[in-house]
Amino acid sequence: MTQGRTTTFEAGSAFEAERERAVLVGIDRGNPEWPVEESLAELERLADTAGAETVATTYQRLASPNPKTFIGSGKAEEVAQLVKAHDAQVVIFDDELSPSQQANLERAIPGAKIIDRTALVLDIFSLHAVTREGRLQVRLAKNQYLYPRLRGMWAHLASNRMGGGVGSRFGEGESQLEVDRRMVRKRIDRIKKELAKLESDRDNQRKARLRQGMSRVSLVGYTNAGKSTLINRLTGADVLATDRLFATLDSTTRKLVLPEGRTVTITDTVGFIQKLPTTLVEAFKSTLDEISDSDLMLIVLDVSSTKMESQYQAVLDILEQIGAQSIPSITVLNKMDLLGSDEREVMMARYPTACAISAELGQGIDELVERISQVCSDSDATLSLVIPFDRGDLISLAHSKCTIVAQRYEEDGLHLSLKCPKHLQASFADFAEIG
Ligand SMILES: Nc1nc2c(ncn2[C@@H]2O[C@H](COP(=O)(O)OP(=O)(O)OP(=O)(O)O)[C@@H](O)[C@H]2O)c(=O)[nH]1
Ligand SMILES: [Mg+2]
């Protein structure tokens, strides 16, 4: 027996009526971390961001998706009825559909475009990508997503009535419906090559920062947690911070001078979401490398979200996926201004080592900066060195970037005891004092 629930909405204003009308479909797997209603509510926000109005949502309780049609065939019939009743143009599934599921659903639900969460997220990414690298990364992800789905998808998009709108912004040139796998493969290779070029520029910038011995701090967190608001607050950057999902796709790096004079870099980058498509994680590798190459992560949490803990877990899962799980981190409880004083106490008791802030109001920022200083100096090593006098470069590096504990001049050079940031240790490796 199938169980489930259907919710419908009255059409909104005339303006909304012009937006694409969408039916959302999920599966209730009985997952307590992400109850299906919550996941569908998030899907509705994503649909809204992409420009679709949700006219009905429905779900079915299933232990695992039906391999043929994702939902059961009876439920698919019900969705087809919903589409008719609400004059919907698009049906959005809350999980990634396999190419054959998608093709079968297109047959079972005629007259509507069938897309999944992945296509929707890709769609938003393509709306929000600004830089050349961001656009290329999105194009890569889309083409990789499209590749196994070519037949079904093109046949579907070939119909004029279905073209355009949510889930179909597949970039320039993609209206050439006759495109075949070989061409897409070629395109993927070309994009990868272009990205590799850009990546080497980025690598050079990163190396330059490394040579300067700056610790690299990255902001990570669920989309809409307040990362961009925080980088603006910390560094006076003017990154767009707004109440919409995936406002930031492109990384921004700014310098921050800590109270003791040490300069670090802070990088704001793309936010995470549960069920983040793997194609996106792969395509955004160089952007995500900003995180996996950093020395310290500020994991920004939105305390006003009822899903904060599940969002935190989703962030930790993705950090593991990109190999960043063991980078030192500070948990930052953001939007504390939205909690009442009792709730604040509960929150602080639950995360006693976290930093509580309001990026918006600038509360708790000094303490956060203090914590960043502490963690950065924790990784300093104490070195005893003898630097020959003809290595003025190293002597000045030591004085400008390290904390000198003691120094004395001897015949063989300058004897130094210093606290040295991790990145600079290699520069001094040949000059360790022996004995
Ligand atoms: N009340 C309150 N709102 C905040 C705070 N920090 C951020 N916001 C709001 O939360 C929304 C999202 O903020 P962003 O800084 O854009 O979030 P983000 O993490 O960069 O989001 P993405 O770039 O989409 O991943 C904006 O409307 C901010 O004004 C805060 O401390 N308190
Ligand atoms: Mg942002």
Side-chain angles (χ1 to χ4, degrees):
M1 198 183 82
T2 58
Q3 286 180 305
R5 177 170 301 160
T6 300
T7 320
T8 60
F9 303 87
E10 292 306 312
S13 67
F15 171 72
E16 279 170 348
E18 285 171 20
R19 288 151 59 89
E20 257 188 306
R21 298 163 65 79
V23 174
L24 311 187
V25 184
I27 284 185
D28 179 5
R29 298 182 172 84
N31 174 1
E33 286 215 349
W34 286 103
V36 65
E37 289 95 344
E38 301 269 3
S39 194
L40 285 170
E42 185 175 81
L43 192 69
E44 186 176 344
R45 266 202 92 184
L46 289 168
D48 178 58
T49 309
E53 181 200 359
T54 297
V55 291
T57 63
T58 185
Y59 63 82
Q60 181 176 30
R61 193 168 296 168
L62 280 180
S64 61
N66 180 316
K68 285 202 180 120
T69 45
F70 186 71
I71 44 178
S73 55
K75 191 71 181 173
E77 179 55 35
E78 194 187 316
V79 173
Q81 299 295 339
L82 277 175
V83 164
K84 259 202 205 136
H86 292 277
D87 191 23
Q89 291 95 20
V90 56
V91 180
I92 309 175
F93 285 80
D94 195 27
D95 292 79
E96 189 162 315
L97 299 171
S98 72
S100 69
Q101 283 171 335
Q102 185 163 358
N104 292 332
L105 284 165
E106 276 161 9
R107 273 192 291 275
I109 309 170
K113 193 166 49 175
I114 305 293
I115 66 171
D116 59 16
R117 182 182 258 262
T118 301
L120 188 59
V121 171
L122 288 174
D123 203 51
I124 296 169
F125 270 52
S126 72
L127 286 172
H128 293 181
V130 178
T131 63
R132 185 170 154 65
E133 185 176 35
R135 286 180 186 280
L136 278 171
Q137 287 175 326
V138 175
R139 286 191 62 198
L140 178 60
K142 281 180 164 178
N143 281 286
Q144 283 171 334
Y145 173 78
L146 218 49
Y147 185 69
R149 294 174 172 78
L150 270 177
R151 206 162 11 123
M153 227 161 149
W154 290 135
H156 201 71
L157 291 176
S159 144
N160 280 340
R161 212 162 67 77
M162 297 305 147
V166 173
S168 65
R169 278 175 277 252
F170 277 74
E172 83 270 14
E174 272 101 356
S175 58
Q176 39 177 328
L177 303 175
E178 72 282 7
V179 77
D180 61 8
R181 287 187 171 217
R182 193 173 47 83
M183 284 180 70
V184 174
R185 189 72 257 163
K186 264 193 180 162
R187 190 188 297 157
I188 288 175
D189 290 344
R190 207 172 51 233
I191 300 171
K192 277 188 175 164
K193 261 189 211 141
E194 281 186 62
L195 273 173
K197 249 187 268 160
L198 292 178
E199 199 171 335
S200 84
D201 290 349
R202 191 197 277 273
D203 251 12
N204 288 338
Q205 287 170 8
R206 238 188 254 142
K207 277 184 195 135
R209 277 185 229 141
L210 260 176
R211 275 196 301 277
Q212 291 166 14
M214 283 185 244
S215 292
R216 295 152 306 168
V217 181
S218 60
L219 293 169
V220 303
Y222 211 76
T223 180
N224 212 48
K227 301 175 293 297
S228 300
T229 310
L230 182 54
I231 194 174
N232 291 345
R233 174 64 64 184
L234 285 168
T235 70
D238 60 352
V239 178
L240 174 73
T242 168
D243 191 17
R244 49 178 214 174
L245 304 180
F246 298 117
T248 308
L249 290 190
D250 304 301
S251 325
T252 298
T253 299
R254 291 283 181 278
K255 285 182 187 170
L256 170 67
V257 182
L258 299 174
E260 77 273 21
R262 179 201 301 265
T263 305
V264 299
T265 61
I266 308 255
T267 299
D268 175 31
T269 184
V270 59
F272 298 166
I273 198 165
Q274 56 133 351
K275 306 180 189 171
L276 189 68
T278 32
T279 38
L280 267 180
V281 176
E282 283 159 20
F284 271 68
K285 187 182 173 309
S286 68
T287 299
L288 294 170
D289 278 351
E290 294 283 351
I291 296 171
S292 43
D293 280 356
S294 65
D295 304 294
L296 169 65
M297 301 184 293
L298 306 185
I299 302 183
V300 184
L301 304 177
D302 173 358
V303 295
S304 72
S305 164
T306 53
K307 299 306 299 163
M308 185 190 104
E309 294 203 355
S310 311
Q311 293 179 348
Y312 193 10
Q313 194 51 53
V315 168
L316 295 178
D317 290 347
I318 295 164
L319 288 176
E320 190 163 351
Q321 213 177 321
I322 64 172
Q325 72 276 20
S326 45
I327 295 171
S329 65
I330 299 172
T331 303
V332 179
L333 303 172
N334 188 33
K335 308 197 190 180
M336 287 299 272
D337 58 294
L338 296 177
L339 298 187
S341 55
D342 289 353
E343 289 172 309
R344 271 185 222 185
E345 268 176 36
V346 171
M347 188 63 73
M348 313 268 289
R350 201 180 319 151
Y351 296 94
T353 58
C355 249
I357 67 161
S358 165
E360 186 91 0
L361 302 183
Q363 293 161 350
I365 301 297
D366 290 347
E367 291 82 351
L368 174 60
V369 170
E370 189 54 42
R371 282 286 295 282
I372 297 172
S373 291
Q374 239 174 41
V375 178
C376 289
S377 59
D378 278 354
S379 66
D380 286 1
T382 304
L383 304 180
S384 297
L385 307 170
V386 183
I387 303 182
F389 293 120
D390 62 358
R391 292 304 304 267
D393 57 328
L394 287 180
I395 294 174
S396 80
L397 184 68
H399 281 100
S400 60
K401 298 285 190 293
C402 305
T403 310
I404 309 291
V405 180
Q407 64 175 347
R408 60 178 201 281
Y409 295 89
E410 304 236 340
E411 261 176 36
D412 55 347
L414 179 63
H415 287 231
L416 277 176
S417 165
L418 49 76
K419 282 187 153 302
C420 176
K422 208 167 62 184
H423 293 123
L424 292 180
Q425 289 167 22
S427 316
F428 296 115
D430 293 341
F431 304 98
E433 190 170 39
I434 296 163

